[in-house]
Amino acid sequence: MEDNSLETVEQVMAEAAVETVMEDLPTAAILEETTAAAYNLEPAAVIETSTATCETFPPLSLPTPLQPLFSTPNTLISPLFVLAVVIMFLSLLFVQKFSRSPLQQIGHVGPRGRKYHSWNESTTGGCGGRFIDWWIFGGSVWIRAALCLWDGMAGTHSSDGDHHQESSGENLFACFGVVGNKSDKSASGESERNDGEDKKQSENIPDHLAHAVSSTGILGFDSSLGGFGPICLAPIRASVFLIGWCSVCSFLKITYNELVDFITKLADPASVGHFQQIPSLYRDKIINVVASILYFIQDVMKVGNDLVEKKSDALGDAWLPTIAYAMAFIVVLEFGMYLIGNACMLLKIYVPMGVSHPGGARPHKIVRTPQWTEGKEHFLSQKLLSGDYSSSSSRDVNEESGVLSSKWRCAVAHDSHRDTIAKFNYIKSKDGDDVSTSLMTGEPFGRQIWTLNESQPSSDKVVSEDDMENKLKQELVPNLKEEKEEEEEKTEDNNNIFGPLSPLGDLVQNIFSFDRDNESPKEDPKQDETAKLIETIASGGRNPMAFDPSKNPNSCDQIFRAQMISSYLEKNDGKFPEDIAYLQDKGEGDEANPPKTAMEAAKRGVAFYSLLQSTDGHWAGDYGGPHFLLPGLVVSWYVMGCPSVMISPPQQALMLHYFKVHQQADGGWGTHIESPSTMFGAVICYLAARLLGAHKDEDWIKSGRDFIQKEGGAVMTSSWAKFWLCLVGCMDWKGHNSVPPEMWLLPNWFPFHPGRMWCHCRMVYLPMGYLYGSRFIYSQAETDPLIEELRNELYCEPYDSIEWDRTRHLVASMDNYSPIPTFMKFAQNCLSVYENWKIFRPFRDAIRKAGLDFCLEYMRAEDLQTNFIDIGPVNKALNMVSAFHSANNDINDPAVRSHMMRVPDYLWVAEDGMKMQGYNGSQCWDTSFAIQAVWECGLLDKFPILSAKVWAFLERTQILSTECSQSTPAYQYESCDSRDKFYRHVSKGGWPFSTSAHGWPISDCTGEGLKGVLALMDSPIVMDGVKRGILKDIEPRRLYDAVNVILTLQNEDGGWATYENNRGFGWYEELNPSEVFGDIMIDYSYVECSMASLTALADFHEKYPDHRTNEITFAIKRGAEFMKSIQRKDGSWYGSWACCFCYGCWFGIEGLIKSGESASSPAIQKCCQYLLSQQRANGGWGEDFTSCYDKDYAANGMQSYGDDGSGVVNTAWALMALSAAKCNDVEAVRKGVRYLMSRQLDCGDWPQEGIAGVFNRACGITYTAYRNVFPIWALGRCVATYGDNIDKDPCNKELE
């Protein structure tokens, strides 16, 4: 009864509600009049009753000729949609026909809505901003297309008759289709040919077109299309417009009909259901809103009515009005968008941030810090440093064996080649011939390896670097020989303690002698005064050979520096350079002798640094830091069968020492030496330590295992660590996301192509794709007891019970610097289905073979182009394993042997053990900076041998420019076809980061190398040596090649990236699979690369004003505009390759000054104020790695590893920036200079402080040379800028 009563009550209430609503419902006529008045429209036919509401909204009012354009009852697809699809299809065919590899072209780098940071801390923003930019700022693509067509039809004659030099790489204007048939005769007299091959020759674009091009649009070019880019993009964009408009129209029609039906039912008194329960007040409002929407839809659909109605009689059938409507719509919309975009930029309503803008501070700062055991000093035992070794097994070697000791020395250039050839002298060809020499290719200058062997005698055919040095001393500066003879006579008369020195190896061994049992320094009463002095000088102010990571985890390079100082003394009769000769007169306990002036400090710095110069002219040093590099090499060595020729037992022991001393108190290892423990570092370092022979029951191994299991086991590490685990058989491949090698088979024009990625990224994922596609696993994984133990140690659950597919996306929060976006996870899940579902197997197997074949061919090309060094340590190890696999696991295969011969190039020995460097060294980079520092101090001719050796080194290091380098297979890959096929930019004429044999030119390294050569041209002694044939000349054509490399590397945004033009898009970062690195997917433009390139062009232009004048001046102008565009609002620049803002500000200010910017300009003054605001109380500046990671200036400066928050390197960068800008606050500059002078050691060295370098936002790297080079440079520049005023005390007191 209760239920029936309740139903009756509800029915009565519903009926009453309906009556109320119908009484209050306004008539349709009133509704239409109100709504029409709101839109200023003529009301439709007046509706007499509310039941005829639907007649208020007749079918959409389109012109009669246009009605067939959209879906009708008789047509399923509208002609407009068909037209758009046809345009898209034809455009794609055109693209496929004319596409080329994405290397020949200025990249696609326009502003595309890159945000400071998205909510989930990914490195780029969402797609919303880029979507807006595409529509608002993309209209200019039509202007560019017209310019390209005009250039192609009108010819390419310059207004001033100046022509480009013929080059193997496309210059800045080649992207506009500007190609001619005349070569540059004005500069070199003749055009150079590359092995007889015809090369494209470029002409100057007329000035009016050049400036028009520079101001037209932001959308840019697709790098794979070259000059056809805008021509292809324009119709593609038009078809996108039309398809979008058809979709919108269809959506509007459907929405319109649904809303009409809705409002009809709402106004119908006979309506039932939920409409009956709507109160009249809300019903009125709903009807008004819906009616407004309907009228708005009618307005939208009337676009183009007038134009088409006037032409309807002449247009005929449906297809002609379709074309007319499409053209009118596109023109109006494109022009409107173009105007809107320019208005937005002019009024600064919406100015999109360029894709290369590094963005602002991260919202979530790094809060964890490294945890060290305080006060624990580690020493390399005598058995690790010197003596013989013997062991029956390379697997059971550790420090406690009591049988290992090594005489380590750093061999360079030809000495290093001879050592390697001798090490591999048993390699024989099938015919029994020695093939070791033929496997060792590439220019030897710059190579540096650590070896146990004594120096090998040079052959009669090769002049050693020592011979070159002696020749320079005897012939370049004859006075030096006379002075030397006089000093020798004095030495014979006096009982000089710096008389005959012991052999170099014995001397270094005497310097660093230790107690074998307790790893503590051993007092040696027989140690002579020379050894004591060298020990003191080489220690950099630290306890000799002590390594305490709690004080500083950066090595001081004591072993190498002791070797070089000893070598210098041997060659110079035990005498130091003049400016630090006082060291020989000091007695034990004597007070320090600080410099009186800034220039005196600079001279001491140069004098000390000259002790460290290698015989071939470069400066070597520790370039370690990352912890994840050496484990990759160890895994490669292990899966290849542990060949002792690749990693010897003494090397194993030194590597184990390195892992042991860098382990943190919590048991883990950081991603790099200053990083807090991460799962990435911990898992991979633990794996490497165990593979090298560390026993599972050792305390430090137990501690590492506890850390890993506490954090969830190895399933929680990042993808790169998981990859190495898969290779060695400690993880199933299902636990790693797919890396399909068939991606390389995509057409070059495809929006996401691996060839468009940053070269370091693609060269890592290239062998990863091959090894993943091959499902490579260590052949003995199932029977090796060590692998079985590791499977139990690395995980928190039984290995066989893990559901690997569920672990693919797992990653510890401490590793997750760049969280993988949702779309990328979706893509990875789709690829997992593709990899594992049997239905895809036939297709996958068929296409995968082709992908694997291309990967092998590409890796082979990379190996030959780099003389088996490869671009970096990660792909070096992966390429080596790939070569091993493709050779059917044959360790004696020539390619595998060539790889192993180049492994020492990456290894470095310091007081913390043996490590793998982030490159095969930073030789050219450090040397180019060093010689510019000496030049700016005005000391080139005061140190003539130093300067001459640098000239010789830079001459031999220019890529593919010497007889030796051109005799290698790498030179054959410089052809256009080879570069196109393997996605390489032009290399000839560039300078590398490390060595010529490495083969990869970089924009800033080329710029700094070129500036180093131009600086040395100001040395009369060096130029006299060139004139007399003592030094080899660097002809102008070689400098032109370098300029060509720089010009072709300029991006569309005006800036310069690293190795190549930007080829991809900002949204590539949404596909970053690494988790631990930021901004790795494409080659962005950087302030550092832009400054180095721009200033090199400016310096070159001063000495060669007639070469490619228009291009150079235009490039400099565009480069300056780019640098200003990425300056932060506070005036700073973010440094992407060092720590951090002081570094970026130096590059920013110097680049603008060299481009012609006034020192009083707002951009420069704002940066100066920023730097001054960061100066610390002691006069210095300081930052640590957190500045890079957080993208925000370190609040406490270099608190952990500096001097009261300041550091000498950061201070030097700040002073170089301020003095370049001629900062008016002289006292602030003077305080900075005093700080550098106060921190200088008595020998002229400076202490090693915190880590200086960084890459990919999240990983630090060591530059031991920076502590010498930049303080010297800063002191010299400050003296050159402020003169004696820099040494004056405002209180009229002498500087102390």
Side-chain angles (χ1 to χ4, degrees):
M1 291 292 297
E2 292 179 356
D3 293 342
N4 293 336
S5 300
L6 183 60
E7 293 178 358
T8 304
V9 172
E10 291 178 348
Q11 183 177 1
V12 172
M13 292 177 63
E15 292 176 354
V18 171
E19 292 177 358
T20 303
V21 170
M22 294 307 298
E23 290 175 358
D24 295 336
L25 185 67
T27 63
I30 297 175
L31 174 63
E32 177 166 344
E33 290 176 0
T34 304
T35 308
Y39 282 90
N40 196 24
L41 300 171
E42 292 295 330
V46 179
I47 310 299
E48 296 295 340
T49 63
S50 60
T51 58
T53 303
C54 61
E55 296 182 6
T56 307
F57 305 101
L60 293 179
S61 177
L62 286 175
T64 302
L66 290 182
Q67 290 179 6
L69 302 184
F70 302 97
S71 298
T72 64
N74 298 325
T75 59
L76 297 177
I77 301 177
S78 68
L80 188 63
F81 183 83
V82 172
L83 177 65
V85 171
V86 170
I87 293 175
M88 176 72 79
F89 180 73
L90 293 177
S91 300
L92 291 177
L93 287 179
F94 189 76
V95 166
Q96 176 64 29
K97 173 68 175 176
F98 293 101
S99 68
R100 50 188 178 177
S101 301
L103 64 90
Q104 300 181 348
Q105 203 36 65
I106 300 302
H108 192 146
V109 191
R112 284 185 289 280
R114 177 186 174 85
K115 298 182 179 179
Y116 284 99
H117 236 283
S118 62
W119 64 274
N120 64 349
E121 294 189 64
S122 65
T123 54
T124 54
C127 62
R130 289 187 288 270
F131 181 80
I132 294 173
D133 294 338
W134 169 268
W135 293 111
I136 294 182
F137 297 94
S140 58
V141 72
W142 289 90
I143 299 177
R144 293 198 170 194
L147 285 172
C148 288
L149 289 173
W150 170 258
D151 293 338
M153 292 184 296
T156 57
H157 295 286
S158 171
S159 57
D160 59 359
D162 184 26
H163 299 296
H164 288 182
Q165 180 194 10
E166 182 181 38
S167 68
S168 57
E170 284 68 26
N171 59 56
L172 176 64
F173 304 103
C175 55
F176 304 111
V178 184
V179 180
N181 55 9
K182 293 184 179 180
S183 60
D184 183 0
K185 306 282 186 179
S186 60
S188 60
E190 60 179 357
S191 60
E192 184 188 5
R193 297 288 175 180
N194 182 3
D195 276 351
E197 293 187 41
D198 290 332
K199 296 187 278 185
K200 292 186 178 180
Q201 305 168 6
S202 303
E203 298 288 339
N204 261 333
I205 188 170
D207 289 339
H208 68 283
L209 282 182
H211 291 290
V213 168
S214 69
S215 62
T216 55
I218 303 171
L219 187 61
F221 293 93
D222 187 306
S223 56
S224 71
L225 301 176
F228 291 108
I231 303 174
C232 297
L233 287 176
I236 291 176
R237 177 180 167 84
S239 62
V240 170
F241 266 118
L242 294 178
I243 292 174
W245 177 238
C246 289
S247 302
V248 168
C249 289
S250 298
F251 172 78
L252 291 178
K253 286 179 64 178
I254 295 172
T255 304
Y256 182 90
N257 293 333
E258 292 293 330
L259 288 177
V260 169
D261 183 64
F262 171 78
I263 199 173
T264 301
K265 292 180 179 179
L266 189 63
D268 189 354
S271 61
V272 295
H274 295 292
F275 294 116
Q276 294 179 340
Q277 302 177 14
I278 301 177
S280 60
L281 177 63
Y282 294 112
R283 186 177 296 193
D284 290 346
K285 292 182 178 180
I286 292 173
I287 291 176
N288 287 331
V289 170
V290 174
S292 300
I293 294 174
L294 292 174
Y295 280 113
F296 175 75
I297 292 175
Q298 285 186 342
D299 289 345
V300 172
M301 296 296 288
K302 290 179 180 179
V303 174
N305 280 11
D306 295 339
L307 176 64
V308 179
E309 286 288 0
K310 292 179 180 179
K311 302 293 182 180
S312 58
D313 294 337
L315 291 177
D317 60 16
W319 285 104
L320 288 177
T322 297
I323 297 173
Y325 181 87
M327 293 178 61
F329 173 78
I330 291 170
V331 170
V332 171
L333 192 56
E334 287 279 6
F335 186 70
M337 289 294 180
Y338 184 61
L339 293 179
I340 292 173
N342 280 276
C344 287
M345 297 187 70
L346 179 65
L347 302 176
K348 297 186 178 181
I349 299 172
Y350 173 71
V351 180
M353 188 183 299
V355 70
S356 290
H357 197 295
R362 286 171 58 89
H364 299 93
K365 304 293 193 295
I366 184 172
V367 295
R368 299 168 59 244
T369 57
Q371 304 297 316
W372 305 107
T373 302
E374 295 291 336
K376 184 176 181 180
E377 290 188 333
H378 303 272
F379 295 90
L380 283 171
S381 63
Q382 180 72 18
K383 63 188 178 184
L384 291 178
L385 277 174
S386 59
D388 298 326
Y389 71 90
S390 62
S391 176
S392 59
S393 171
S394 62
R395 290 280 307 279
D396 302 320
V397 177
N398 54 58
E399 279 191 67
E400 287 69 41
S401 65
V403 294
L404 295 180
S405 56
S406 306
K407 292 183 178 180
W408 293 101
R409 69 180 185 89
C410 184
V412 301
H414 287 96
D415 185 16
S416 70
H417 274 213
R418 291 192 296 268
D419 181 87
T420 300
I421 293 171
K423 184 178 180 180
F424 285 80
N425 62 3
Y426 56 85
I427 303 178
K428 303 293 182 181
S429 68
K430 294 180 180 180
D431 299 329
D433 298 328
D434 184 5
V435 297
S436 300
T437 304
S438 63
L439 292 177
M440 198 68 203
T441 61
E443 179 66 61
F445 267 56
R447 188 175 188 238
Q448 53 196 30
I449 66 170
W450 286 86
T451 178
L452 304 169
N453 303 323
E454 296 293 334
S455 179
Q456 301 291 321
S458 60
S459 66
D460 296 336
K461 297 179 180 179
V462 178
V463 178
S464 70
E465 287 71 38
D466 287 330
D467 295 335
M468 179 191 74
E469 189 171 8
N470 291 331
K471 183 178 180 181
L472 291 175
K473 291 180 179 179
Q474 294 172 4
E475 300 183 20
L476 184 63
V477 188
N479 292 334
L480 290 180
K481 183 178 180 181
E482 298 176 2
E483 294 175 4
K484 180 179 178 181
E485 292 175 351
E486 293 177 1
E487 293 296 335
E488 287 177 350
E489 293 177 359
K490 294 180 181 179
T491 301
E492 293 176 357
D493 297 335
N494 300 326
N495 186 16
N496 195 323
I497 63 171
F498 297 97
L501 298 179
S502 59
L504 178 60
D506 294 337
L507 178 59
V508 178
Q509 181 178 345
N510 290 336
I511 293 172
F512 302 118
S513 57
F514 305 96
D515 191 309
R516 300 187 182 190
D517 297 324
N518 56 21
E519 284 193 343
S520 61
K522 177 183 176 182
E523 295 294 335
D524 184 0
K526 297 182 180 180
Q527 189 178 47
D528 60 25
E529 295 185 32
T530 303
K532 289 182 180 180
L533 182 59
I534 296 175
E535 178 185 73
T536 301
I537 295 174
S539 64
R542 297 183 183 179
N543 186 9
M545 284 304 292
F547 181 75
D548 183 354
S550 67
K551 294 180 180 178
N552 195 330
N554 296 268
S555 84
C556 193
D557 243 355
Q558 295 187 43
I559 300 176
F560 171 74
R561 292 189 171 211
Q563 174 187 323
M564 299 309 298
I565 295 170
S566 301
S567 176
Y568 183 93
L569 292 176
E570 282 189 304
K571 295 174 183 178
N572 293 274
D573 302 315
K575 290 179 173 53
F576 287 102
E578 176 186 355
D579 292 283
I580 55 174
Y582 58 85
L583 294 172
Q584 297 174 332
D585 301 326
K586 283 184 58 177
E588 187 174 353
D590 289 352
E591 293 184 0
N593 180 27
K596 300 294 190 298
T597 65
M599 182 49 66
E600 184 181 350
K603 289 179 180 179
R604 290 187 181 185
V606 176
F608 170 81
Y609 204 46
S610 69
L611 302 177
L612 309 182
Q613 190 179 24
S614 298
T615 55
D616 65 351
H618 83 276
W619 278 273
D622 186 349
Y623 189 59
H627 282 326
F628 61 89
L629 303 177
L630 182 57
L633 177 66
V634 172
V635 170
S636 301
W637 164 77
Y638 196 85
V639 302
M640 292 168 64
C642 304
S644 61
V645 73
M646 179 176 164
I647 297 180
S648 65
Q651 289 176 316
Q652 289 177 247
L654 283 175
M655 291 174 181
L656 277 173
H657 182 83
Y658 175 82
F659 287 125
K660 188 173 182 179
V661 301
H662 281 285
Q663 187 181 33
Q664 299 186 21
D666 58 8
W669 288 265
T671 302
H672 58 92
I673 56 177
E674 289 189 15
S675 162
S677 294
T678 63
M679 283 294 283
F680 181 35
V683 170
I684 201 167
C685 288
Y686 180 91
L687 173 67
R690 293 286 280 118
L691 296 178
L692 286 169
H695 195 274
K696 66 178 180 180
D697 292 331
E698 294 181 52
D699 290 340
W700 68 289
I701 293 296
K702 289 181 179 178
S703 179
R705 184 163 61 247
D706 291 342
F707 176 86
I708 293 171
Q709 293 188 353
K710 179 183 175 182
E711 298 297 331
V715 295
M716 298 302 297
T717 191
S718 60
S719 59
W720 280 28
K722 290 178 179 178
F723 194 90
W724 292 114
L725 290 171
C726 291
L727 289 184
V728 80
C730 290
M731 178 176 283
D732 192 284
W733 277 112
K734 291 183 179 179
H736 193 281
N737 283 306
S738 175
V739 189
E742 45 268 37
M743 285 287 291
W744 290 98
L745 303 180
L746 291 170
N748 288 324
W749 54 265
F750 195 76
F752 182 79
H753 189 285
R756 298 173 182 266
M757 296 193 299
W758 182 41
C759 57
H760 271 286
C761 184
R762 75 169 182 268
M763 298 314 294
V764 166
Y765 283 100
L766 171 69
M768 277 189 174
Y770 174 81
L771 294 169
Y772 177 88
S774 303
R775 295 300 195 275
F776 176 91
I777 301 176
Y778 168 45
S779 60
Q780 306 298 320
E782 299 304 322
T783 58
D784 191 328
L786 178 56
I787 301 303
E788 182 65 26
E789 291 179 2
L790 284 168
R791 288 178 175 180
N792 294 327
E793 296 168 18
L794 290 170
Y795 302 99
C796 300
E797 58 272 3
Y799 183 83
D800 294 333
S801 68
I802 300 174
E803 297 183 46
W804 293 107
D805 191 63
R806 295 178 179 271
T807 68
R808 288 183 296 105
H809 297 309
L810 296 181
V811 61
S813 59
M814 63 181 67
D815 285 358
N816 210 14
Y817 181 82
S818 296
I820 296 180
T822 302
F823 176 78
M824 183 57 179
K825 289 183 179 179
F826 171 76
Q828 289 173 337
N829 290 335
C830 293
L831 287 173
S832 178
V833 172
Y834 166 74
E835 295 287 350
N836 296 303
W837 284 21
K838 293 182 179 180
I839 190 174
F840 296 109
R841 183 171 181 176
F843 172 79
R844 186 179 64 245
D845 291 348
I847 197 172
R848 177 144 296 176
K849 185 181 184 303
L852 292 173
D853 290 343
F854 179 81
C855 288
L856 272 179
E857 184 183 9
Y858 193 177
M859 284 187 288
R860 179 64 175 171
E862 161 71 357
D863 293 340
L864 292 175
Q865 285 175 295
T866 62
N867 299 283
F868 288 89
I869 298 172
D870 297 321
I871 194 172
V874 178
N875 89 307
K876 165 64 181 177
L878 292 171
N879 277 25
M880 184 163 53
V881 176
S882 300
F884 176 72
H885 175 263
S886 66
N888 297 318
N889 296 356
D890 181 8
I891 200 70
N892 293 310
D893 180 80
V896 178
R897 287 287 178 173
S898 294
H899 265 296
M900 291 193 295
M901 294 174 78
R902 285 295 188 174
V903 166
D905 294 48
Y906 282 97
L907 300 178
W908 190 260
V909 176
E911 59 268 28
D912 56 347
M914 177 172 279
K915 64 200 74 176
M916 194 174 195
Q917 301 184 105
Y919 223 69
N920 64 322
S922 54
Q923 299 91 314
C924 188
W925 180 250
D926 293 340
T927 303
S928 299
F929 276 150
I931 199 60
Q932 290 181 73
V934 176
W935 169 77
E936 195 145 2
C937 291
L939 301 176
L940 288 177
D941 286 347
K942 181 175 175 58
F943 296 88
I945 302 301
L946 176 150
S947 301
K949 287 166 65 177
V950 171
W951 176 276
F953 173 75
L954 291 176
E955 187 276 323
R956 293 292 291 269
T957 308
Q958 192 176 16
I959 295 175
L960 298 180
S961 301
T962 65
E963 182 179 352
C964 178
S965 62
Q966 292 181 357
S967 66
T968 65
Y971 195 55
Q972 307 305 316
Y973 283 91
E974 187 65 3
S975 67
C976 289
D977 289 341
S978 293
R979 290 192 295 107
D980 288 352
K981 184 174 183 179
F982 300 116
Y983 309 101
R984 282 290 294 262
H985 195 86
V986 58
S987 298
K988 184 183 179 184
W991 268 279
F993 183 75
S994 55
T995 64
S996 172
H998 182 273
W1000 280 87
I1002 312 176
S1003 63
D1004 53 354
C1005 299
T1006 301
E1008 300 300 342
L1010 178 58
K1011 287 193 291 183
V1013 171
L1014 295 174
L1016 285 166
M1017 288 182 176
D1018 292 338
S1019 167
I1021 291 180
V1022 172
M1023 290 296 96
D1024 180 64
V1026 172
K1027 183 178 180 180
R1028 292 162 53 192
I1030 302 173
L1031 295 170
K1032 189 171 182 180
D1033 190 15
I1034 302 178
E1035 300 90 349
R1037 63 175 179 80
R1038 290 177 59 174
L1039 303 184
Y1040 301 158
D1041 287 341
V1043 169
N1044 179 67
V1045 171
I1046 294 174
L1047 287 174
T1048 60
L1049 283 173
Q1050 189 172 29
N1051 279 325
E1052 186 199 352
D1053 60 5
W1056 277 265
T1058 55
Y1059 296 83
E1060 300 161 338
N1061 301 120
N1062 181 293
R1063 302 170 179 176
F1065 306 87
W1067 54 264
Y1068 273 36
E1069 289 300 334
E1070 304 297 330
L1071 303 176
N1072 181 357
S1074 70
E1075 301 113 355
V1076 293
F1077 303 118
D1079 292 348
I1080 68 169
M1081 296 298 288
I1082 60 175
D1083 208 347
Y1084 298 95
S1085 296
Y1086 298 98
V1087 65
E1088 298 99 318
C1089 297
S1090 299
M1091 178 279 235
S1093 301
L1094 179 155
T1095 54
L1097 292 176
D1099 289 350
F1100 172 84
H1101 187 59
E1102 291 180 5
K1103 283 186 165 59
Y1104 298 89
D1106 297 329
H1107 181 75
R1108 299 175 76 162
T1109 303
N1110 288 348
E1111 285 183 85
I1112 290 175
T1113 54
F1114 187 40
I1116 292 173
K1117 178 181 178 182
R1118 295 177 66 239
E1121 292 296 327
F1122 166 77
M1123 287 195 292
K1124 286 192 283 187
S1125 74
I1126 62 171
Q1127 186 179 22
R1128 286 188 171 189
K1129 293 181 179 180
D1130 59 9
S1132 68
W1133 277 274
Y1134 175 82
S1136 297
W1137 300 103
C1139 305
C1140 169
F1141 290 95
C1142 292
Y1143 187 69
C1145 289
W1146 163 47
F1147 279 96
I1149 285 181
E1150 184 154 338
L1152 292 182
I1153 291 292
K1154 279 293 186 73
S1155 70
E1157 189 87 2
S1158 170
S1160 61
S1161 72
I1164 293 177
Q1165 288 300 308
K1166 199 172 183 179
C1167 186
C1168 289
Q1169 292 304 313
Y1170 173 84
L1171 286 174
L1172 293 173
S1173 70
Q1174 301 295 344
Q1175 190 173 24
R1176 303 185 70 83
N1178 61 8
W1181 283 260
E1183 297 177 81
D1184 60 15
F1185 173 73
T1186 60
S1187 286
C1188 309
Y1189 191 98
D1190 297 335
K1191 295 187 176 182
D1192 198 9
Y1193 199 98
N1196 298 318
M1198 192 180 286
Q1199 183 178 33
S1200 298
Y1201 311 119
D1203 172 47
D1204 193 21
S1206 295
V1208 295
V1209 177
N1210 292 121
T1211 300
W1213 288 332
L1215 289 175
M1216 290 176 68
L1218 293 173
S1219 55
K1222 296 180 173 59
C1223 177
N1224 294 326
D1225 193 343
V1226 182
E1227 179 57 24
V1229 177
R1230 187 182 292 117
K1231 288 174 63 179
V1233 170
R1234 288 177 183 171
Y1235 175 79
L1236 288 182
M1237 295 171 65
S1238 69
R1239 291 288 287 165
Q1240 190 176 31
L1241 303 176
D1242 198 31
C1243 62
D1245 193 8
W1246 277 270
Q1248 178 66 49
E1249 297 172 332
I1251 204 162
V1254 69
F1255 62 91
N1256 301 141
R1257 315 295 191 215
C1259 192
I1261 197 162
T1262 301
Y1263 288 88
T1264 54
Y1266 280 14
R1267 78 186 205 236
N1268 299 103
V1269 172
F1270 289 109
I1272 293 170
W1273 201 343
L1275 291 171
R1277 175 170 293 184
C1278 289
V1279 171
T1281 303
Y1282 299 100
D1284 295 338
N1285 193 36
I1286 203 66
D1287 295 318
K1288 293 180 180 178
D1289 192 305
C1291 298
N1292 297 320
K1293 297 180 181 179
E1294 293 184 1
L1295 282 175
E1296 296 182 358

